[in-house]
Amino acid sequence: MISLGLRLTAEEEEMLDGRRGNATAKAMEIITTLGEIYGAERLIPVSSVQIAGVSYHNLGEAGLEYLAEMAEDGQTRVLTTLNPAGMDLEEWKKHGISPDFAANQKRVIEAFAKMGVITTCTCTPYLVGNLPHYGEHIAWAESSAVAFANSVIGARTNREGGPSALAAALTGRTAEYGLHLDENRHAEVKYEIETELHNTDDFGLLGQVIGNRTKNAIPYIAGVPRATSEELKSFCASIATYGGVALFHIEKITPNRTPIPEKIETVTKSDLDNARKELDDEGATIDFISVGCPHASIGEIARIAEMLDGKKVSEKKTVWITTAKPTKDLAIKMGYYDKIEEAGAYLVSDACCAVAPLKGRFTGLMTDSAKACFYARGKNNFKTEIRTVEECIEEAIS
Amino acid sequence: MKLEGRRIFRGKTTGEVLFSSEDISFYGGCDPETGEIVEKSHPLEGKSVSGKVLVFPTGKGSTVGSYVLYALSKAGMAPLAIVNEATDPVVAVGCIIGEIPAIDQINIDKLEDGQKVEVDADAGVISILEQ
């Protein structure tokens, strides 16, 4: 039934016609159909997969049922990790997650585990062992990680959905189209940055400004003299949230080669100030502070632990520092976890404030993440304020 | 009259057209249990896609929408078939995992609410049986 455009190898034909099991056949059907829609001529091997759609809050019973069906005979063929779940898989109780939700979330994780997925749940797989190299073809789903992999690392992935990423995991293949091809990776609009950028919040705001303007057009960004990995991950989350950008170029910072576009836009300090105003709701009463969207690195956690050492979080406020489980384990070893938790804040792993079931629990979020503001408003009806990490922690202990 | 397009997911069915001039987001825009369109001020708001040949330009919104089509299918509330101008990946994957016949590359302006049509997704053809 495959059109003449898409050619399959003998092994791929076997996967499609069911000789490698039902889940593999379903997975191959997803991949070949997407390939046909986008005019791919062949499938290509992928070496790494990252699956989104893990929180039971988003998946619901239907998503879980699908995963259970695929887990009957599906097995991953390549390194595969997960996006954040709706709760810390171990310490969920003290974070106020209901036992019902926890039971359902665990069923989701068990279905993935049965398929051989490495069940660390993080939007920053590149920080914890799922790290592709330049030019490597992968199939990732989390939008901020897709932007980071394509742009900062120079690996190649389209923005996959949950089922298509799982399909890539079970077949070890993706269809060759979109950002897997050189000709689709060239910059389309040049953005000249005429303002200084200092912290993760500034980079988030820059992502918001460019994302809103560029939509899906690939940006070439000039005038950013330096950026930390943490600032780049904040930028990735924001530009993918506000603009659907899966690939960008920053002059002298990102590794991909591209012709420099003739169309030029500028970003000024007032653009950034306006973006900040846009995310600062009037009359917000801050009762929730969250840092770690995308998941905090061990360096960020070390700094937060230092700031919270010997302090006490206000009784009226809840603080979530969200990170990947391997990073949390390292934070425990280094004593950062104790400093954070003794201050009354939580170091939450495997989850984040965007996918946890938090609606109705808080009214106002302060965060350093422009992406977290977007989901806090849209999904949870929280008011938001965007500040530096230092200001967030000061707010927490005030 | 016959309209020729492209198979997205196999199957053959006959039913009544439910037409939307606007794109559909299944995640957040369609109740996964009843099939009712719940997106505010959508032209199909309050109508159920269940048991219809659902015709709309293309999908929009979150990739979780694929699971909504799967849920509808499991609940026996899915559309009989989906017909698009251009099927987006979210709807395509939803049709595959929910096993809903689907075709695209159809000039949907030729279709209207209430027509009885036959969808032959294998051949990529939709035939208008009665106006």
Side-chain angles (χ1 to χ4, degrees):
Chain A
M1 294 301 290
I2 295 302
S3 71
L4 290 174
L6 181 65
R7 294 184 306 277
L8 300 183
T9 64
E11 189 191 10
E12 289 160 359
E13 290 282 4
E14 281 187 17
M15 290 187 199
L16 184 61
D17 70 19
R19 273 177 282 173
R20 303 293 180 94
N22 294 333
T24 302
K26 180 63 77 181
M28 196 44 110
E29 192 161 21
I30 290 172
I31 287 175
T32 53
T33 301
L34 292 175
E36 286 180 344
I37 291 174
Y38 290 106
E41 293 178 358
R42 58 174 187 162
L43 306 185
I44 48 174
V46 292
S47 51
S48 158
V49 172
Q50 193 259 1
I51 298 174
V54 177
S55 172
Y56 181 77
H57 192 55
N58 294 342
L59 271 177
E61 206 51 34
L64 176 53
E65 201 177 318
Y66 177 71
L67 295 175
E69 190 182 318
M70 295 299 274
E72 279 173 21
D73 68 351
Q75 276 298 308
T76 59
R77 288 165 181 266
V78 294
L79 177 70
T80 303
T81 59
L82 296 174
N83 218 28
M87 63 180 200
D88 188 309
L89 297 177
E90 289 171 6
E91 295 196 287
W92 53 270
K93 218 173 260 173
K94 73 176 184 185
H95 304 142
I97 303 293
S98 77
D100 277 353
F101 182 87
N104 286 324
Q105 183 63 70
K106 284 182 179 167
R107 286 160 64 211
V108 172
I109 301 301
E110 280 159 16
F112 281 121
K114 193 176 168 200
M115 288 185 270
V117 174
I118 294 171
T119 53
T120 188
C121 306
T122 180
C123 49
T124 60
Y126 47 88
L127 291 180
V128 292
N130 190 354
L131 176 62
H133 62 70
Y134 179 86
E136 205 166 4
H137 293 280
I138 62 174
W140 284 14
E142 153 58 27
S143 66
S144 74
V146 165
F148 195 96
N150 274 319
S151 314
V152 180
I153 298 169
R156 297 181 170 213
T157 178
N158 288 314
R159 194 166 163 168
E160 302 289 348
S164 68
L166 176 61
L170 299 182
T171 60
R173 303 287 199 287
T174 194
E176 188 181 41
Y177 67 91
L179 293 176
H180 291 285
L181 297 168
D182 286 341
E183 61 264 33
N184 299 324
R185 296 177 63 88
H186 293 163
E188 294 159 282
V189 185
K190 183 177 183 185
Y191 288 85
E192 289 181 344
I193 312 306
E194 298 178 348
T195 178
E196 288 185 16
L197 303 162
H198 290 291
N199 289 297
T200 46
D201 58 328
D202 278 354
F203 276 84
L205 294 169
L206 180 67
Q208 183 190 347
V209 170
I210 297 178
N212 274 328
R213 274 201 223 163
T214 204
K215 310 288 184 218
N216 296 309
I218 298 173
Y220 180 91
I221 298 154
V224 179
R226 70 192 68 80
T228 65
S229 294
E230 285 83 1
E231 288 163 346
L232 290 172
K233 94 177 145 61
S234 175
F235 180 73
C236 286
S238 178
I239 198 166
T241 297
Y242 290 94
V245 171
L247 168 65
F248 59 82
H249 305 267
I250 305 181
E251 199 167 77
K252 292 181 182 159
I253 289 179
T254 60
N256 296 291
R257 296 172 67 88
T258 176
I260 297 173
E262 284 173 14
K263 188 180 172 197
I264 295 178
E265 298 245 347
T266 54
V267 178
T268 62
K269 182 164 187 308
S270 78
D271 291 327
L272 232 57
D273 290 344
N274 288 337
R276 187 179 289 277
K277 272 187 214 132
E278 219 286 301
L279 294 185
D280 276 355
D281 285 315
E282 281 192 28
T285 306
I286 301 301
D287 53 3
F288 184 41
I289 291 120
S290 185
V291 175
C293 169
H295 274 167
S297 68
I298 191 66
E300 289 175 301
I301 292 170
R303 284 197 298 281
I304 291 165
E306 191 65 29
M307 289 179 236
L308 282 172
D309 190 14
K311 305 285 192 338
K312 270 283 173 230
V313 169
S314 156
E315 278 178 14
K316 292 177 188 148
K317 291 164 192 166
T318 299
V319 180
W320 279 26
I321 312 301
T322 51
T323 192
K325 183 64 167 60
T327 312
K328 181 180 181 178
D329 288 340
L330 190 51
I332 291 170
K333 183 184 171 192
M334 296 303 294
Y336 305 150
Y337 174 87
D338 285 345
K339 284 180 185 170
I340 290 168
E341 297 262 330
E342 279 163 17
Y346 294 122
L347 184 61
V348 177
S349 63
D350 292 317
C352 76
C353 66
V355 295
L358 295 175
K359 195 168 184 178
R361 285 183 56 189
F362 305 109
T363 59
L365 169 72
M366 182 180 284
T367 176
D368 68 321
S369 165
K371 174 177 182 170
C373 291
F374 180 88
Y375 285 100
R377 288 168 159 188
K379 286 183 67 179
N380 292 325
N381 280 332
F382 299 163
K383 292 191 170 184
T384 62
E385 287 183 2
I386 183 165
R387 295 288 183 276
T388 64
V389 174
E390 284 75 11
E391 287 165 334
C392 288
I393 300 303
E394 274 163 29
E395 174 71 25
I397 58 181
S398 66
Chain B
M1 186 173 62
K2 282 188 178 191
L3 303 170
E4 289 186 18
R6 169 173 79 160
R7 178 196 70 142
I8 296 293
F9 188 79
R10 63 180 172 265
K12 202 169 177 177
T13 186
T14 300
E16 199 178 284
V17 167
L18 179 67
F19 183 89
S20 169
S21 54
E22 297 283 320
D23 300 344
I24 295 178
S25 169
F26 284 93
Y27 182 64
C30 177
D31 186 307
E33 286 173 11
T34 65
E36 187 182 320
I37 298 292
V38 293
E39 183 181 334
K40 293 282 167 243
S41 39
H42 193 280
L44 295 187
E45 186 184 354
K47 291 186 179 167
S48 173
V49 302
S50 179
K52 301 286 185 183
V53 173
L54 181 61
V55 180
F56 58 103
T58 190
K60 61 177 181 178
S62 166
T63 58
V64 181
S66 302
Y67 289 124
V68 174
L69 285 167
Y70 179 82
L72 290 172
S73 194
K74 283 284 161 182
M77 301 301 278
L80 282 178
I82 283 180
V83 177
N84 292 144
E85 279 175 5
T87 301
D88 71 298
V90 176
V91 170
V93 170
C95 289
I96 298 165
I97 68 180
E99 308 202 329
I100 301 164
I103 55 179
D104 81 342
Q105 296 181 350
I106 294 289
N107 178 1
I108 63 168
D109 295 338
K110 306 271 186 199
L111 297 167
E112 53 190 79
D113 258 351
Q115 283 171 330
K116 193 176 173 196
V117 296
E118 181 193 75
V119 178
D120 181 352
D122 300 300
V125 171
I126 176 166
S127 311
I128 301 168
L129 304 176
E130 284 168 32
Q131 287 296 333

